[in-house]
Amino acid sequence: MSISRHFVLAAGGTGGHMIPAHAVAEELMARGHHVALVTDERGAKIPGIFDKAQVHVLPAGRMTKDPRTWPGALKAILAGRAMARRLNETFRPTAVVGFGGYPAMPALLGALADGIPTAIHEQNAVLGRVNRLLAGRVNAIATAYPLVERLKDKYASKVHLIGNPVREEVKALRDEEFPALTDESVFRVLVIGGSQGASILSSVVPDGLGLLPLSLRRRLQVTQQCRAEDIERVRRLYAEQEIPADLATYFNDVPEKLGWSHLVIARAGASTLAELTCAGRPAILVPLPSAMDDHQTANAREMTEAGGARTIPQARFTAVELAKQMQKMAMEPGALQNAAKRARSCGRPDAARDMADLLESIGPAPIVNDPVRTGPTPTTLNLQGVPA
């Protein structure tokens, strides 16, 4: 006789919300539980994740600073809440967890209305807007960092330091040695700027690497993610400086590339930081200044203070500054290896396991195998056309 519980995972439609949710879903399903995802149309279209779970697309209004948008946003939130409650009637979840983003709000509001245990997971070092709105009402708050700004002290009793779940391929890198590096070996640099690359990295990194001493520059092997409109210009710059470079607009094998990299130059998104610290890879971080509440600067703080990264604000991210910081990390004996160890010390590789443990602890008794409750085969259900 199989024993299982049902969990609803609700996440905004970006990779930063969906990837941690997917990792937790995989862990829950490996334990024999059933999982349903609530997201928006963007999240439902992300390939390669939630292939084995029910996927439900609900309306989710976004509350902006413009009061004129509030009536429409509120209407969408209430419609999504009504649909989430209908999902609760059929799927009968033992707990609902939100991973941030406005699409998580209707599912959490529906669970609260139905008396279902709830939790939120915050990927960043600043509590997001939706999580701030609901933090006081949920049963548990999972965080990725020891210090989370905008998280009120009065919630301390229900806060759990979990970390950010990462892919199994990244987790496996934790057991591998830092790639061998001598004064004569190839020095591999990985440049990633989020799912679509970052123009500032394309503008600065090639010139910065070109300023490095010849003894270091001739050993470089660069792998860089670029926006489509930047890629040919960046390719010419590297060719002019005789620096071997592999460029692409998207890499589907980031864990493999991370495995053989000696240094990573990147933004400071939550998923990127989780992978760097889990794998133990030193980095130069350039936080996105327009990120809400400047959360990328906050994300970078722990790894930087530990000595695993150097953070350069975008306003000071110039070719000269990049070259200076790279020389300090790459030309001082043992500096990169030491930074790798310090980065690794910040990693929380068991985040998916710990999050699954937390959800099991707040849910009610297990559900004995019951075909009525296990739901249909995995599918994507767009509920936006269903009347509220």
Side-chain angles (χ1 to χ4, degrees):
M1 178 169 55
S2 62
I3 303 295
S4 69
R5 300 183 186 187
H6 294 178
F7 295 94
V8 170
L9 279 58
T14 65
H17 299 305
M18 292 286 290
I19 290 174
H22 172 68
V24 174
E26 291 283 301
E27 176 67 23
L28 290 169
M29 288 188 288
R31 299 183 184 195
H33 301 309
H34 298 270
V35 172
L37 169 72
V38 169
T39 186
D40 58 15
E41 292 183 351
R42 296 175 304 161
K45 293 177 181 178
I46 296 178
I49 62 176
F50 284 97
D51 294 334
K52 301 175 184 177
Q54 296 181 39
V55 179
H56 301 270
V57 177
L58 269 64
R62 180 180 179 85
M63 303 294 287
T64 69
K65 294 181 180 180
D66 185 355
R68 293 173 296 181
T69 67
W70 295 351
L74 181 60
K75 182 178 180 181
I77 291 170
L78 292 176
R81 174 180 174 273
M83 295 174 194
R85 296 190 69 182
R86 287 199 288 276
L87 173 62
N88 294 341
E89 289 178 4
T90 57
F91 192 66
R92 301 179 70 177
T94 57
V96 175
V97 55
F99 287 83
Y102 279 96
M105 182 178 286
L108 288 167
L109 291 176
L112 290 167
D114 291 334
I116 299 169
T118 54
I120 55 175
H121 179 273
E122 179 55 60
Q123 297 90 51
N124 294 301
V126 181
L127 199 65
R129 188 172 295 172
V130 170
N131 284 346
R132 289 202 298 270
L133 290 171
L134 297 172
R137 302 179 63 187
V138 299
N139 297 87
I141 301 171
T143 67
Y145 296 92
L147 176 63
V148 177
E149 298 175 16
R150 299 203 173 194
L151 178 57
K152 296 179 180 179
D153 293 340
K154 65 182 181 181
Y155 302 145
S157 63
K158 59 181 178 181
V159 173
H160 305 264
L161 177 58
I162 296 293
N164 260 327
V166 298
R167 293 169 283 185
E168 285 298 320
E169 301 94 319
V170 175
K171 190 175 176 180
L173 297 176
R174 195 168 178 84
D175 297 325
E176 299 182 6
E177 295 290 333
F178 185 71
L181 183 63
T182 68
D183 291 341
E184 299 300 323
S185 61
V186 174
F187 180 46
R188 296 185 176 91
V189 178
L190 176 63
V191 186
I192 47 178
S195 60
Q196 299 297 322
S199 290
I200 187 67
L201 300 183
S202 296
S203 299
V204 173
V205 174
D207 291 338
L209 300 187
L211 295 177
L212 293 173
L214 181 61
S215 60
L216 178 58
R217 191 168 73 244
R218 64 180 176 82
R219 296 164 46 207
L220 289 175
Q221 171 64 59
V222 178
T223 301
Q224 182 163 347
Q225 183 184 26
C226 304
R227 291 183 182 274
E229 60 267 28
D230 296 330
I231 196 165
E232 291 306 321
R233 175 179 57 83
V234 174
R235 183 173 282 116
R236 287 195 300 271
L237 288 172
Y238 281 125
E240 290 169 2
Q241 298 173 108
E242 299 181 341
I243 297 175
D246 176 20
L247 309 179
T249 57
Y250 179 77
F251 294 124
N252 57 12
D253 57 348
V254 170
E256 179 183 350
K257 288 177 166 52
L258 190 62
W260 46 248
S261 297
H262 297 107
L263 178 67
V264 178
I265 302 173
R267 289 296 197 188
S271 294
T272 297
L273 269 292
E275 294 186 346
L276 289 173
T277 56
C278 183
R281 291 297 180 269
I284 292 175
L285 302 173
V286 187
L288 177 67
S290 61
M292 185 175 293
D293 300 317
D294 196 23
H295 67 252
Q296 288 203 4
T297 297
N299 290 350
R301 189 173 298 128
E302 181 186 29
M303 186 178 175
T304 302
E305 291 180 350
R310 292 172 183 261
T311 296
I312 306 176
Q314 183 163 309
R316 294 197 292 107
F317 186 59
T318 64
V320 172
E321 182 65 19
L322 174 62
K324 181 173 71 174
Q325 296 299 334
M326 281 193 65
Q327 288 182 72
K328 290 179 179 179
M329 299 182 76
M331 301 190 75
E332 294 179 7
L336 276 174
Q337 291 86 340
N338 183 53
K341 292 178 182 178
R342 292 173 179 271
R344 190 179 186 277
S345 72
C346 299
R348 298 179 178 89
D350 296 321
R353 181 202 68 188
D354 294 345
M355 188 69 197
D357 287 347
L358 176 62
L359 293 176
E360 287 181 333
S361 74
I362 67 171
I367 297 174
V368 179
N369 187 33
D370 177 354
V372 174
R373 299 183 180 187
T374 56
T377 55
T379 185
T380 298
L381 304 177
N382 190 328
L383 303 181
Q384 295 198 51
V386 180

